[in-house]
Amino acid sequence: MAAAGGFGSNTYRNGVNRSSLKAENKSLAANQSFKSSSSASSSSSFKSRSLQFRKSSPAALGGANGAARDSGGVPGRVRVAVRLRPRNAEELAADADFADCVELQPELKRLKLRKNNWDTDTYEFDEVFTEFASQKRVYEVVAKPVVESVLEGYNGTVMAYGQTGTGKTYTLGKLGEEDTAARGIMVRAMEDILGDISLETDSLSVSYLQLYMETIQDLLDPSNDNISIVEDPKTGDVSLPGATLVEVRDQQSFLELLRLGEAHRFAANTKLNTESSRSHAILMVNVKRYVKEKDPALSMENGSNSHSAKNFKAPVIRKGKLVVVDLAGSERIDKSGSEGHTLEEAKSINLSLSALGKCINALAENSAHVPVRDSKLTRLLRDSFGGTARTSLVITIGPSPRHRGETMSTIMFGQRAMKVENMLKLKEEFDYKSLSRRLELQLDKLIAEHERQQKAFDDEIERIHAESEMEIAEAERKYADALEKERMKYQKEYMESIKKIEEQLVGDQRKHDNDIATVAHNGYYANGEVSSISALEEVADLKKLLEKETILKKAAEEELTNHKRQLYQSKLMEASATSEILKLRKSLEDESRQKEKREGEIALLQSQLLQLSFDADERRRRLDRAGSGNDSNDLDCLTAQVNNPQLSDSENGEKASVAKLFEQVGLHKILSLLEADDADVRIHAVKVVANLAAEEANQQKIVDAGGLMSLLNLLRSTDDETIHRVAAGAIANLAMNETNQELIMAQGGIRLLSTTAANAGDPQTLRMVAGAIANLCGNDKLQTMLRGEGGIKALLGMVHCGHPDVLAQVARGIANFAKCESRASAQGTKTGRSLLIEDGALPWVVQNAKNEASAIRRHIELALCHLAQHEVNAKDMISGGALWELVRISRDCSREDIRTLARRSLASSSTFKVELRRLRMDY
Ligand code: ADP
Ligand code: MG
């Protein structure tokens, strides 16, 4: 303990010397002290606001910058104010002659506690309220910044600590019905919350509880008298699922709740034969809000190239919880003596309060162990002290010198609480449920619409088909009928005319015979006259008959042409029906093409949904990793415990997503999207494939489904660098497997990768390509072919970019290649100089043997050791300066196995030995 002068002869500083206090106060000013926060945010806000009060940004909470969200939290010390109660009637009467035991210096935020007539101890607080401080000012300084944080999505705690009768309930719970100026913190906090939230979109609910003798009772439902605390094993959050939770819509209903709670508290305490000063009252206010404005830090990436990803952004919800705690009186129970409790009961009554004191001591002293689990109160308040909530504490004291001892211990409690550091964390999460509901709705709509269209189309086709079939049949039938009728008619007419001519002929013949007989009988002359007359008649008859025949024939001919025309017309009709059918067929084809496209779109939507959850998982994982990575703060060990299960959880989530992808979209569908016309779709699809290829379990499936070929084709067919980068990454992952390596080589993979590297501008593309080639370099069977197709040259070509990630992959490739070569040499299957040396790799290798990046250096050291194993390389290595590096590696390398390998390589080569002897070096 350090004592410092300046405030009385023996100023007690509670173990904090003056300079450190000053330093602390300075940092408080930089962060946020009671004063700066209240005067800056409250006065200006109260002046300027009519409906809403000003929102301070999260950064304003502790002066940290916006990166706080990524790094896991904003530091925020527990703020402590002291409030002195005015003398009551009894004190005015009894202690009239005595001076108060405390003297306040509010402008210096100091409190002096009288020890005796000539000696005082001085303490500093974040704020010092005299007996004249108004309820409004106490609210604005102590509670308002906490309420603002809760509205922004942080947890917050306001707590009062002090001896019975010093004004805890007055400060926190006063309803102020007769005098609005007397309203306490609970009432004012709710007014501010109701003024800021929107009742349409946000939700607000309240629980009110009493903790007495380690039992939690529901003040809103007295039958609920043993509520248990439940801890979420993943997040460590505590909750009271058994407690009544009442939705609050307006101030009046909240006041009703407080009144109801107070009445139940009175009844419960009467039943238990105790006073309310022996129990803790806890008000919990839950605020759940949707984040409306676009927050760039949270918006989805790739927004630029995926229109639908923007539309399907998951909404963000923030859940802040305000806890207001009116603690039991801090006086020791045996002292008050009036309750008639046994010692055991007394211990139990005080258990929570003394456990709270122990936890605060442990946190103030940065102890490794904080006994949070010792009492229900400390379990309930684990987030308030040393957790993620913003916490303000008011300690209340009375002026009477008679209670000097209690006042002193209250002050010491406050002083220790001031040293507790919290790490404020935004309670924000994506509302995936509602996003998924929206997407499902969209999908269902599309599917239903598609089905409706398909059905209508099928019906139409069927109808037209049936109609045209009927028309054709009718036309054919009519034509056949008409033809048959004509034929019958002509046949009949023909037969009749033949019959007539025959009859005529028979008649004529008969007449002729008769005439001849008459001539022969009557003599030549008379006979000659008669015969010429009948012959003339006969000619005239025949002529008439002929004319009639001609007319009939003409009519028949006309009829025939008529029928021919009809036939021609019905043929025309048939042709037009056929062309109609053809047209319909074509539109059917168009329609089925559109259907395919729509199915593609549905698949894309599904894959985008999965991609989104991938991204979100990824981001959450990064956030978690960042959070646990920064967990150097001892106080936050709770969070660290909690982070690991979360991590494994999100991994499981990712696996589940992959499984879901296979199941819902189907690998073939995804692979087919790699060849889509739309570049956005291709990029999207290749990203999904790359994500899948990163999982070993999927690799075989991807290759079997032709994915490797598709990826290689993508390299060949597109100029888009993003596609190149992602595809090369996927190929690099698939190239870890030996069979796939052969497949890649057989497909001209080396040349494709070389061209990709030559055209790449982004070092990450080069890294992927180099990684893929490096994997191929490790395959013993492919050495000659790989080199023959320019693999080594391609690797060396990439070092120009200078990016350490790329260099590390190049170095790994060279080390892999050298290792295979040294294996082949040892087995006697390789004799000549190293192909690496042949292709000019040595100068770069020697140059980078001392590279600062350990990933590059280690691979190069290995490569040098492997090259040195084969005697034919020795001469080149000496002339290239590699011997020096080998000697250095054998002495200085931090890895013992590499040192040994280097020494063994040096020892096994006679050429090296001769050279070293010449240089008078030993190794
Ligand atoms: P506690 O809850 O700490 O036991 P109370 O809040 O019940 O104490 O206060 C005890 C008495 O002192 C009450 O009558 C209360 O009205 C009065 N009192 C406390 N603080 C003040 C204050 N700042 N101004 C006026 N009266 C006060
Ligand atoms: Mg009280």
Side-chain angles (χ1 to χ4, degrees), residues 59-80:
L61 289 167
N65 59 25
R69 192 181 288 133
D70 301 332
S71 64
V74 185
R77 183 172 62 68
V78 171
R79 309 282 152 180
V80 182

Side-chain angles (χ1 to χ4, degrees), residues 356-535:
L356 178 65
K358 280 181 200 152
C359 283
I360 285 180
N361 284 352
L363 287 165
E365 285 158 19
N366 266 339
S367 292
H369 176 64
V370 181
V372 173
R373 309 199 58 83
D374 281 5
S375 77
K376 291 218 165 131
L377 182 66
T378 47
R379 283 171 67 196
L380 276 177
L381 295 179
R382 72 185 297 168
D383 198 38
S384 308
F385 292 93
T388 66
R390 180 167 196 171
T391 297
S392 279
L393 171 67
V394 193
I395 58 166
T396 55
I397 54 173
S400 166
R402 272 201 286 167
H403 298 301
R404 196 192 160 282
E406 292 299 346
T407 305
M408 167 85 177
S409 87
T410 299
I411 288 169
M412 297 315 286
F413 180 89
Q415 289 283 299
R416 283 191 291 272
M418 276 176 79
K419 293 192 200 162
V420 176
E421 280 286 354
N422 286 1
M423 192 55 83
L424 312 194
K425 254 190 193 158
L426 197 57
K427 306 291 175 187
E428 184 172 71
E429 55 196 53
F430 288 113
D431 188 1
Y432 283 113
K433 269 191 205 143
S434 83
L435 173 66
S436 147
R437 266 199 305 276
R438 241 162 59 202
L439 281 171
E440 257 164 33
L441 223 67
Q442 176 88 1
L443 251 174
D444 284 350
K445 254 196 229 155
L446 278 172
I447 289 169
E449 176 60 21
H450 172 68
E451 242 177 44
R452 255 197 306 281
Q453 282 182 6
Q454 183 69 36
K455 174 85 183 24
F457 175 76
D458 288 348
D459 288 355
E460 182 67 11
I461 290 283
E462 209 168 290
R463 191 184 62 74
I464 292 173
H465 193 75
E467 246 174 36
S468 57
E469 260 197 351
M470 250 157 68
E471 271 170 23
I472 289 172
E474 178 70 21
E476 274 174 358
R477 197 175 50 73
K478 265 190 198 158
Y479 177 65
D481 278 3
L483 214 60
E484 182 61 19
K485 234 191 245 161
E486 281 308 301
R487 200 180 60 79
M488 296 294 282
K489 192 173 144 202
Y490 283 109
Q491 201 169 9
K492 202 171 142 209
E493 278 175 6
Y494 178 72
M495 294 304 281
E496 269 169 13
S497 46
I498 293 285
K499 208 169 153 196
K500 252 187 209 160
I501 291 172
E502 272 175 2
E503 276 170 12
Q504 185 96 33
L505 265 177
V506 170
D508 286 353
Q509 189 68 42
R510 210 177 287 138
K511 214 167 157 194
H512 186 73
D513 288 352
N514 279 345
D515 287 348
I516 289 178
T518 319
V519 170
H521 190 256
N522 293 337
Y524 175 69
Y525 293 109
N527 196 10
E529 223 171 274
V530 173
S531 89
S532 71
I533 290 166
S534 78

Side-chain angles (χ1 to χ4, degrees), residues 85-86 88 91 162-169 277 329 331 396-399:
R85 171 177 53 66
N88 57 26
E91 283 159 346
Q163 194 184 349
T164 299
T166 50
K168 295 184 296 298
T169 306
S277 66
E331 64 279 357
T396 55
I397 54 173

Side-chain angles (χ1 to χ4, degrees), residues 6-54:
F7 301 100
S9 56
N10 192 13
T11 307
Y12 177 64
R13 285 283 189 182
N14 185 28
V16 181
N17 72 29
R18 204 170 155 208
S19 56
S20 79
L21 259 180
K22 268 194 186 147
E24 191 180 0
N25 277 344
K26 250 184 224 153
S27 75
L28 284 181
N31 287 350
Q32 172 257 339
S33 66
F34 269 126
K35 192 165 185 188
S36 65
S37 112
S38 67
S39 55
S41 73
S42 319
S43 59
S44 69
S45 61
F46 274 99
K47 249 183 248 160
S48 65
R49 86 173 176 154
S50 51
L51 287 165
Q52 276 201 322
F53 61 91
R54 194 181 66 90

